[in-house]
Amino acid sequence: EAGVAQSPRYKIIEKRQSVAFWCNPISGHATLYWYQQILGQGPKLLIQFQNNGVVDDSQLPKDRFSAERLKGVDSTLKIQPAKLEDSAVYLCASSREGGGSPQYFGPGTRLTVT
Amino acid sequence: GQSLEQPSEVTAVEGAIVQINCTYQTSGFYGLSWYQQHDGGAPTFLSYNALDGLEETGRFSSFLSRSDSYGYLLLQELQMKDSASYFCAVRPPGATNKLIFGTGTLLAVQP
């Protein structure tokens, strides 16, 4: 089966600009996650969707970050305006419902904010 | 809250056995997972311990002891391709499959 798809793979923007990332999860996976991974650290969950509803967005900086999952499939994550500290890899993952289900990650988008 | 600590780097030689430890301070969790991430790549699932004890999957084994707040990943018959970062992660209580990742261990396998 096809894996999690993400685009773009790389993005360079200036601070205060906006940027959007796209994710297409594995077919049939109800749960979708967006993680932020800063260099040298583990991934940090930003937001989790179950179908098209938000399950957890406790660590999403809502003043600048937003995300949606239209029709319970694809998802977009937006940053507006970007700050230097937003430079990181943004990973999308998906999983089946049920506790303990493995999460399958996409290749990520490497964002550089200058 | 949850805090998971791992050694930052481990070095081993091909064919050897290496153990990557994960110690945690958490008020409770449902299970401990391990993920592998090659440089520039996506994290990939390795194992999940829902209960205390040892889980074996080929050359990789994972262990969990809740009483000791401790887990480890054991890699046997090391190969060069095992050079990567390894992360432990917990499912906190009250969450739907949410993961909190550890600090990560960079494993370097030498010939």
Side-chain angles (χ1 to χ4, degrees):
Chain A
E1 64 184 354
V4 176
Q6 290 188 247
S7 68
R9 291 296 313 276
Y10 305 91
K11 190 74 176 179
I12 301 174
I13 61 173
E14 295 181 352
K15 59 184 179 182
R16 292 188 290 274
Q17 287 186 324
S18 62
V19 65
F21 313 127
W22 173 83
C23 173
N24 180 247
I26 293 173
S27 178
H29 281 190
T31 310
L32 184 147
Y33 316 79
W34 283 102
Y35 288 88
Q36 179 192 59
Q37 187 174 26
I38 293 172
L39 186 65
Q41 299 181 16
K44 182 184 81 171
L45 180 70
L46 292 176
I47 188 167
Q48 177 183 345
F49 292 94
Q50 185 80 14
N51 297 307
N52 61 353
V54 175
V55 174
D56 188 320
D57 64 356
S58 57
Q59 297 201 82
L60 186 73
K62 299 180 185 64
D63 58 333
R64 299 185 299 107
F65 286 63
S66 63
E68 60 181 5
R69 189 180 185 193
L70 300 175
K71 301 180 181 178
V73 181
D74 292 7
S75 178
T76 57
L77 176 70
K78 297 179 182 178
I79 307 175
Q80 181 178 14
K83 293 185 175 182
L84 295 177
E85 59 261 36
D86 298 332
S87 293
V89 176
Y90 291 84
L91 295 161
C92 179
S94 69
S95 72
R96 298 187 184 280
E97 291 185 70
S101 297
Q103 295 186 19
Y104 296 88
F105 285 80
T109 298
R110 184 177 298 274
L111 174 67
T112 302
V113 182
T114 63
Chain B
Q2 286 81 22
S3 171
L4 298 97
E5 295 295 325
Q6 301 178 235
S8 58
E9 295 184 22
V10 173
T11 301
V13 297
E14 266 189 304
I17 299 173
V18 71
Q19 178 174 311
I20 298 174
N21 297 324
C22 174
T23 57
Y24 56 85
Q25 295 178 4
T26 175
S27 54
F29 63 95
Y30 288 135
L32 184 71
S33 300
W34 287 91
Y35 283 78
Q36 178 193 60
Q37 186 177 30
H38 286 97
D39 188 30
T44 56
F45 172 78
L46 292 177
S47 69
Y48 176 66
N49 291 71
L51 303 173
D52 283 8
L54 191 68
E55 293 284 341
E56 298 180 75
T57 309
R59 294 188 296 115
F60 294 179
S61 302
S62 57
F63 174 81
L64 174 62
S65 171
R66 292 174 188 270
S67 59
D68 295 323
S69 298
Y70 166 71
Y72 66 73
L73 179 70
L74 191 72
L75 297 84
Q76 303 182 71
E77 301 173 16
L78 280 175
Q79 302 175 10
M80 296 296 290
K81 67 178 183 179
D82 296 329
S83 294
S85 292
Y86 293 84
F87 295 91
C88 59
V90 294
R91 285 180 59 218
T96 308
N97 218 30
K98 170 181 178 177
L99 288 178
I100 295 174
F101 283 83
T103 52
T105 299
L106 180 61
L107 172 63
V109 180
Q110 298 178 340

